[in-house]
Amino acid sequence: MEEPIKPKAEVTELQLEAVIGFNGHVPSGLKCHPDQEHLVYPLGCTVLIQAINTQDQKFLHGHDNNVSCVSISQDGSFIASGQVTFMGFKADIILWDYKKRELITRLSLHKGKIEALAFSPNDLYLVSLGGPDDGSVVVWNIAQKEAICGSPAAGLNVGNATTVYYSRCRDEMFVTAGNGTIRVWELDLPNRKIWPAECQTGQMKRIILSIGMAEDDSFFYLGTTTGDVLKMNPRTKLLADTGPAKDKYTLGVSALRCLKMGGLLAGTGAGLLFFCKSPSYKPIKKTQLQGGVTSITLRGEGHQFFVGTEESHIYCVNFTDFKETLIATCHFEAVQDIVFPFGTDELFATCAKRDIRVWHTLSNRELLRITVPNMTCHGIDFMRDGKSIISGWNDGKIRAFAPETGRLLYAIDNAHRIGVTAIATTSDCKRIISGGGEGEVRVWLIGCQTQKLEEALKEHNSSVSCIKVKRNNEECVTASTDGTCIIWDLLRLRRNQMILSNTLFQCVCYHPEEFQIITSGTDRKIAYWEVFDGSVIRELEGSLSGSINGMDITQEGMHFVTGGNDHLVKVWDYNEGEVTHIGVGHSGNIMRIRISPGNQYIISVSADGAILRWKYPFSSCSRGDATEQSC
């Protein structure tokens, strides 16, 4: 039954405390600020400014879709970021004030996507390149915050331009390149025009991935998908040299930086980072990284530099010894689950495609990584005694790992026919309850050396999406995508009650007093149910768009949180059934969400690999007490 409409309470914005995540797929997305103290990079709709030494993070919110490129002005006072949008719609460029950390203006001309951005050497102009649906290059006057002129970026019989680089000395010259096109542009300010000149490469046909410009503008270098480097003269527009002649670099030269002392730093799609010189372009120094290199950014003159890869790793490399240090890492696939150990919020575990990672909550540091190649982990739980992490995998196995070392303690083979999709443990550490893709719920007895199947409960006929166990271990509830939630008696090992609804259930929670459960799923409704007879007590409109995938409730039961495909984290008052706080920051679908033990943080994880930590907006009078008050 629908709730009567009441006047809406004031909804406050949830405070974002920290983000674990880096979108390694944005070309040249990682930038070192000229102050040499901060890294700037995109994650979803947010641009992050992260202090290199202290891990302090600031967030620039303003885009309503994924950030596709970032550029920093030469003196560091401006940041420009461009985004993707839907076909036919205008894609914004936002100009930010770096010191104040605030939006200066929006520049809107391009459609669909901003492919690349570059500032002129004296920060007079910003040049922007539109995506494939747009195909134009526009020069903006920064002081007047308006466009000076624009032009199609590439000729008629070539592919799209995908990258742009400004001259290091002149505000009137920049270079664009892409699929079969290399152009040097001259800005004619009195006539408000830009004039392109095609560069000649003779018989050579190349797709350009990256550009680097020499300090004195004498030459610029182009990295190609073929795995070689082209050296062009910007005055004559002719090819000076190209290399290496043999042994081209695997998966293309995807990132380039010219050094003041001469020579090039380059990275390949196969993760090779190397230093080379013209005309041979053979590696003089090299090191192998994890994931294709997408960004190289210099700290100062380049004695130290940072590298970003497709596997969302950020490395710090010293030029002299060419040794890499991993300074930040995160999941680069959808994060499927997040869980805290019992009674502590100091660390938490997440699982994504092939790995489980344990994180230190306050420092965002990865403490442990457990990798099972070519598998996907769908669910994890800590045993109450903290001695094992229990995980369910798509190969039908349940695997238990030691939380300190990541050593495999035991594996239950063939636990489920179509993969393990959900998992939970009892507080006495004697049982694991697992759900599978075929809809079976299985109860496992865990001894010191043995793992035995106690019962297979076959009532669901589609995959089990969530399992919650009652505190006294005598009952559990399972949610399934077949539109049912079943409350099981764990003593008699049979069904107590079934809840039916026209939805694919994604999440379920017991109210701490355990006489009610709340559910949600693809119908976007949050429903409260009576455990005793399975009757619906109330229904709330949980989201305006998209499924709700994750839900958690406080130990006191006064508030609960939800997250889903609308990318919003919502905090609800349980009794009033109203949203009190909304968190904006995710750009991917939120997969799971948890409130930390002690109600200090909310942690949400999403399909783009991001982990976001929010400040829990209420203070408990005493942690674990049944009263909560607003701060």
Side-chain angles (χ1 to χ4, degrees):
M1 59 193 186
E2 290 291 335
E3 282 284 292
I5 293 169
K6 289 183 283 196
K8 281 251 181 281
E10 195 62 37
V11 177
T12 319
E13 191 164 325
L14 205 54
Q15 186 187 331
L16 182 59
E17 283 192 332
V19 168
I20 301 174
F22 159 62
N23 185 352
H25 293 281
V26 176
S28 300
L30 179 68
K31 304 280 184 197
C32 185
H33 192 272
D35 68 8
Q36 300 185 32
E37 295 296 315
H38 293 85
L39 290 176
V40 177
Y41 56 89
L43 179 71
C45 333
T46 311
V47 177
L48 266 86
I49 301 171
Q50 171 147 344
I52 294 169
N53 299 325
T54 64
Q55 301 291 312
D56 178 48
Q57 292 180 328
K58 292 283 180 287
F59 311 103
L60 302 179
H61 296 297
H63 290 287
D64 55 10
N65 210 321
N66 285 0
V67 176
S68 53
C69 53
V70 176
S71 186
I72 302 178
S73 63
Q74 307 304 319
D75 69 356
S77 52
F78 302 112
I79 295 175
S81 56
Q83 69 170 62
V84 184
T85 186
F86 303 105
M87 204 168 164
F89 287 86
K90 290 253 170 81
D92 284 355
I93 299 163
I94 297 184
L95 197 61
W96 307 90
D97 184 310
Y98 176 75
K99 283 199 174 64
K100 294 183 183 163
R101 311 281 202 261
E102 61 186 38
L103 187 149
I104 299 171
T105 187
R106 285 176 189 273
L107 308 171
S108 296
L109 262 184
H110 295 286
K111 285 197 171 89
K113 179 185 179 185
I114 310 297
E115 197 76 57
L117 292 165
F119 281 94
S120 70
N122 298 308
D123 299 340
L124 299 179
Y125 311 118
L126 173 71
V127 62
S128 61
L129 189 59
D133 301 333
D134 181 87
S136 60
V137 59
V138 176
V139 179
W140 306 84
N141 185 315
I142 292 172
Q144 292 167 0
K145 307 182 185 63
E146 63 175 27
I148 300 170
C149 53
S151 164
L156 294 173
N157 51 355
V158 292
N160 297 315
T162 52
T163 174
V164 60
Y165 207 93
Y166 229 105
S167 151
R168 303 289 284 271
C169 313
R170 293 175 54 223
D171 284 311
E172 291 75 39
M173 184 188 97
F174 60 91
V175 177
T176 62
N179 185 351
T181 168
I182 305 165
R183 282 179 157 190
V184 177
W185 299 77
E186 289 285 341
L187 172 63
D188 176 359
L189 197 61
N191 296 318
R192 293 180 75 118
K193 284 262 190 299
I194 40 175
W195 304 104
E198 293 284 351
C199 293
Q200 303 305 317
T201 55
Q203 294 297 304
M204 211 183 260
K205 294 280 180 280
R206 290 288 186 268
I207 299 172
I208 309 300
L209 291 172
S210 50
I211 310 178
M213 183 80 72
E215 197 73 23
D216 56 359
D217 277 0
S218 54
F219 293 100
F220 63 92
Y221 300 86
L222 304 142
T224 72
T225 52
T226 317
D228 52 9
V229 178
L230 314 184
K231 180 179 177 182
M232 305 290 301
N233 185 323
R235 284 177 300 285
T236 63
K237 323 287 187 282
L238 296 174
L239 188 64
D241 64 41
T242 172
K246 291 188 181 136
D247 302 329
K248 297 201 181 350
Y249 295 107
T250 317
L251 299 181
V253 179
S254 49
L256 273 183
R257 275 289 163 274
C258 291
L259 296 177
K260 213 170 195 171
M261 56 174 200
L264 285 175
L265 280 175
T268 73
L272 181 72
L273 177 74
F274 61 96
F275 171 67
C276 65
K277 286 186 172 172
S278 161
S280 78
Y281 301 102
K282 292 258 190 323
I284 299 164
K285 300 179 175 192
K286 63 178 181 178
T287 183
Q288 182 65 41
L289 308 178
Q290 236 182 304
V293 176
T294 51
S295 308
I296 299 174
T297 180
L298 306 182
R299 190 177 189 179
E301 301 291 303
H303 58 286
Q304 197 181 50
F305 55 95
F306 297 94
V307 182
T309 75
E310 280 178 352
E311 290 197 9
S312 300
H313 288 41
I314 300 176
Y315 294 94
C316 176
V317 186
N318 285 324
F319 183 78
T320 40
D321 61 1
F322 229 65
K323 287 269 188 301
E324 78 279 2
T325 312
L326 184 64
I327 59 164
T329 175
C330 68
H331 293 291
F332 55 97
E333 305 275 358
V335 186
Q336 303 284 350
D337 204 357
I338 176 248
V339 62
F340 282 94
F342 176 71
T344 175
D345 59 10
E346 283 182 25
L347 46 99
F348 62 91
T350 56
C351 67
K353 191 165 183 180
R354 61 182 186 188
D355 51 23
I356 297 169
R357 303 189 191 198
V358 180
W359 306 87
H360 184 257
T361 310
L362 280 177
S363 68
N364 299 342
R365 223 175 57 248
E366 183 185 287
L367 302 176
L368 175 71
R369 188 185 306 185
I370 302 163
T371 306
V372 181
N374 309 324
M375 298 300 162
T376 301
C377 183
H378 284 299
I380 44 172
D381 202 3
F382 277 100
M383 271 293 188
R384 179 70 70 98
D385 59 12
K387 289 182 181 166
S388 57
I389 299 171
I390 311 297
S391 56
W393 297 76
N394 67 338
D395 62 350
K397 289 187 183 184
I398 295 171
R399 292 177 170 89
F401 299 97
E404 284 92 14
T405 60
R407 184 173 64 86
L408 181 68
L409 301 174
Y410 59 83
I412 303 173
D413 293 340
N414 306 319
H416 286 275
R417 257 194 353 268
I418 315 179
V420 185
T421 53
I423 203 144
T425 58
T426 56
S427 59
D428 59 8
C429 306
K430 290 181 179 164
R431 284 165 156 185
I432 295 172
I433 295 135
S434 62
E438 72 293 319
E440 277 189 28
V441 175
R442 294 189 163 192
V443 183
W444 305 87
L445 280 177
I446 305 300
C448 290
Q449 303 291 323
T450 59
Q451 305 87 40
K452 196 166 100 230
L453 176 64
E454 189 179 6
E455 190 62 77
L457 307 166
K458 303 178 183 180
E459 299 248 357
H460 292 299
N461 50 28
S462 183
S463 74
V464 179
S465 50
C466 188
I467 304 171
K468 290 285 168 31
V469 183
K470 208 169 167 175
R471 266 202 298 264
N472 63 7
N473 300 326
E474 290 175 7
E475 191 179 276
C476 77
V477 58
T478 57
S480 169
T481 53
D482 63 1
T484 64
C485 277
I486 298 179
I487 296 158
W488 304 94
D489 185 325
L490 290 179
L491 298 178
R492 298 180 304 134
L493 296 169
R494 61 186 57 179
R495 185 179 86 191
N496 265 356
Q497 199 55 254
M498 183 188 269
I499 287 161
L500 285 162
S501 185
N502 188 16
T503 180
L504 312 181
F505 283 117
Q506 299 292 349
C507 45
V508 61
C509 282
Y510 271 108
H511 185 273
E513 289 171 19
E514 298 181 334
F515 52 76
Q516 287 177 5
I517 57 171
I518 45 174
T519 62
S520 196
T522 51
D523 65 350
R524 312 192 304 279
K525 298 259 194 299
I526 295 166
Y528 296 39
W529 307 84
E530 203 66 78
V531 169
F532 171 66
D533 60 358
S535 60
V536 64
I537 303 161
R538 73 192 316 184
E539 267 192 354
L540 309 170
E541 192 66 50
S543 153
L544 294 174
S545 62
S547 159
I548 293 177
N549 305 323
M551 178 187 273
D552 198 17
I553 193 162
T554 60
Q555 290 157 338
E556 301 81 17
M558 301 282 281
H559 294 90
F560 66 96
V561 292
T562 60
N565 293 5
D566 62 356
H567 307 173
L568 300 174
V569 171
K570 293 181 182 176
V571 182
W572 299 76
D573 184 302
Y574 188 89
N575 296 327
E576 294 295 319
E578 283 186 351
V579 178
T580 61
H581 293 75
I582 287 184
V584 182
H586 279 286
S587 64
N589 296 342
I590 298 171
M591 307 295 286
R592 282 285 185 256
I593 188 162
R594 284 270 193 276
I595 300 167
S596 66
N599 300 352
Q600 266 195 295
Y601 319 112
I602 299 164
I603 293 190
S604 51
V605 297
S606 59
D608 56 2
I611 302 168
L612 272 63
R613 186 176 90 231
W614 311 83
K615 186 178 190 304
Y616 182 73
F618 303 102
S619 66
S620 299
C621 297
S622 66
R623 302 291 184 203
D625 189 6
T627 51
E628 270 185 273
Q629 288 181 342
S630 188
C631 294

